[in-house]
């Protein structure tokens, strides 16, 4: 059996310990050591937080798309996305919770402004230069909102870890942390979970030993996750450069433009 001991002294006992504890996984540290589990910092900076608005403000922020809207500013070379995180009551927009994420390359906020108030001023300053609804979404952020600043990371490793004869493994961001600009982190994690469940079924049925099943899971997941991570890192660097973005398949063949007769706005 595997015994996990937590900081508060509690313990959990089971057959397999699966680290699903994020990009700075403690389980990954147990598998690979602190140095071996360390992430690599990327030249990608992100302000990422949640926000609620008044009823009419919330309707406006959600007006372009009910789920998700993203844009890249051609002069600032920043990306700004809006997504809906929670809708407790569809009839009460004042209860809706949104996610705001602004990201850019190689330009951290000056140290003197690197606090919640300074970062909020930064959000409002850059939002002023955006189109709607991103502009208002940033300008309407409430005073006192916690505004974190994060640097993108990935985990670079040449080979899978020693899974202790199938007793320990990883899943999701703990196994392959990657920046979010390709939108693949969740997809990869769901596939990890599906394949891990299949491996456990094989071990429980006697089709494979636990060691064989988890070895096979680790090999496939590690190779797939590493490939997706590398592509996502390249995407994060490319999407913030306007010229690179305009030459990408996304811009050339993945989007279409239609003129709205009444507004002349392309969508």
């Amino acid at each position: 059996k595997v015994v996990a001991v937590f900081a508060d002294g509690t313990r959990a006992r089971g057959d397999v310990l699966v680290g699903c504890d994020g990009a700075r996984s403690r389980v990954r540290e147990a598998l690979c050591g602190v140095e071996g589990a360390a992430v690599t910092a990327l030249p990608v900076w992100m302000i990422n937080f949640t926000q609620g608005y008044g009823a009419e403000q919330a309707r406006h922020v959600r007006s372009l798309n009910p789920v998700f809207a993203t844009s890249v500013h051609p002069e600032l070379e920043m990306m700004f996305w809006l997504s809906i995180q929670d809708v407790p009551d569809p009839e009460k927009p004042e209860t809706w919770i949104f996610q705001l994420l602004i990201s850019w390359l190689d330009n951290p906020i000056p140290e003197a402004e690197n606090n919640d108030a300074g970062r909020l001023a930064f959000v409002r300053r850059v939002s002023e230069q955006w189109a709607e609804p991103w502009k208002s979404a940033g300008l309407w952020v409430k005073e006192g909102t916690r505004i974190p600043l994060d640097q993108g990371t990935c985990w670079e490793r040449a080979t899978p870890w020693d899974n202790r004869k199938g007793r320990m493994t990883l899943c999701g961001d703990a196994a392959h942390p990657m920046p979010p600009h390709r939108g693949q982190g969740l997809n990869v994690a769901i596939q990890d979970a599906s394949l891990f469940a299949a491996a456990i079924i094989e071990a429980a049925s006697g089709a494979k030993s636990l060691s064989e099943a988890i070895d096979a899971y680790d090999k496939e997941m590690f190779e797939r996750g590493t490939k997706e991570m590398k592509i996502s890192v390249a995407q994060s660097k490319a999407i913030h450069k306007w010229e690179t973005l305009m030459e990408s398949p996304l811009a050339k063949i993945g989007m279409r433009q239609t003129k709205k007769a009444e507004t002349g706005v392309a969508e």
Side-chain angles (χ1 to χ4, degrees), residues 42-46 103-106 150-153 179-181 233 236-237 240:
L42 300 172
V44 181
W45 296 86
M46 295 172 284
S103 61
W104 64 97
L105 298 179
D106 297 320
D150 297 304
Q151 187 171 10
T153 62
H181 300 96
V233 169
S236 287
K237 295 177 180 178
H240 293 93

Side-chain angles (χ1 to χ4, degrees), residues 187-233:
N187 292 339
V188 177
I190 290 172
Q191 190 166 359
D192 292 349
S194 175
L195 294 175
F196 173 76
I200 291 299
I201 290 171
E202 285 185 313
S205 69
K208 291 182 179 179
S209 68
L210 180 62
S211 180
E212 291 171 335
I214 300 302
D215 279 348
Y217 162 76
D218 279 354
K219 183 177 185 299
E220 191 283 336
M221 180 270 290
F222 180 80
E223 292 176 356
R224 171 174 46 83
T226 299
K227 177 182 177 181
E228 296 292 345
M229 177 271 292
K230 290 179 178 179
I231 297 172
S232 291
V233 169

Side-chain angles (χ1 to χ4, degrees), residues 67-256:
V67 178
F68 178 83
T70 188
S71 64
V72 177
H73 197 292
E75 296 173 0
L76 298 176
E77 293 194 321
M78 291 181 170
M79 194 185 81
F80 191 161
W81 73 30
L82 296 171
S83 64
I84 192 74
Q85 290 292 296
D86 192 16
V87 182
D89 187 338
E91 303 303 319
K92 294 182 178 180
E94 64 272 20
T95 68
W96 302 348
I97 302 298
F98 295 84
Q99 177 196 19
L100 285 71
L101 187 151
I102 301 174
S103 61
W104 64 97
L105 298 179
D106 297 320
N107 185 25
I109 295 174
E111 189 60 35
E113 299 178 21
N114 197 9
N115 50 60
D116 283 332
R119 292 189 290 265
L120 176 55
F122 174 84
V123 167
R124 289 174 173 168
R125 187 165 63 246
V126 299
S127 297
E128 185 69 50
Q129 302 178 61
W130 240 275
E132 295 292 350
W134 298 276
K135 179 178 180 177
S136 292
L139 293 178
W140 290 338
V141 174
K142 298 181 182 72
E143 290 289 342
T145 298
R146 181 176 178 271
I147 309 289
L149 175 67
D150 297 304
Q151 187 171 10
T153 62
C154 67
W155 185 45
E156 299 176 311
R157 184 177 171 85
T159 58
W161 42 86
D162 174 8
N163 62 31
R164 314 305 199 264
K165 297 183 179 180
R167 297 295 180 185
M168 294 177 67
T169 189
L170 302 171
C171 185
D173 283 349
H176 34 65
M178 62 187 75
H181 300 96
R182 189 165 160 259
Q184 290 303 301
L186 177 60
N187 292 339
V188 177
I190 290 172
Q191 190 166 359
D192 292 349
S194 175
L195 294 175
F196 173 76
I200 291 299
I201 290 171
E202 285 185 313
S205 69
K208 291 182 179 179
S209 68
L210 180 62
S211 180
E212 291 171 335
I214 300 302
D215 279 348
Y217 162 76
D218 279 354
K219 183 177 185 299
E220 191 283 336
M221 180 270 290
F222 180 80
E223 292 176 356
R224 171 174 46 83
T226 299
K227 177 182 177 181
E228 296 292 345
M229 177 271 292
K230 290 179 178 179
I231 297 172
S232 291
V233 169
Q235 172 77 352
S236 287
K237 295 177 180 178
I239 200 171
H240 293 93
K241 297 293 184 181
W242 186 254
E243 291 183 6
T244 306
L245 177 63
M246 290 297 100
E247 290 299 315
S248 69
L250 172 68
K252 288 189 169 182
I253 62 176
M255 298 186 297
R256 63 184 177 85

Side-chain angles (χ1 to χ4, degrees), residues 16-22 25-28 31 167-175 196 217 221:
V16 184
L17 174 61
V18 187
C20 305
D21 49 339
S25 166
R26 295 296 297 274
V27 178
R28 190 172 72 232
L31 279 168
R167 297 295 180 185
M168 294 177 67
T169 189
L170 302 171
C171 185
D173 283 349
F196 173 76
Y217 162 76
M221 180 270 290

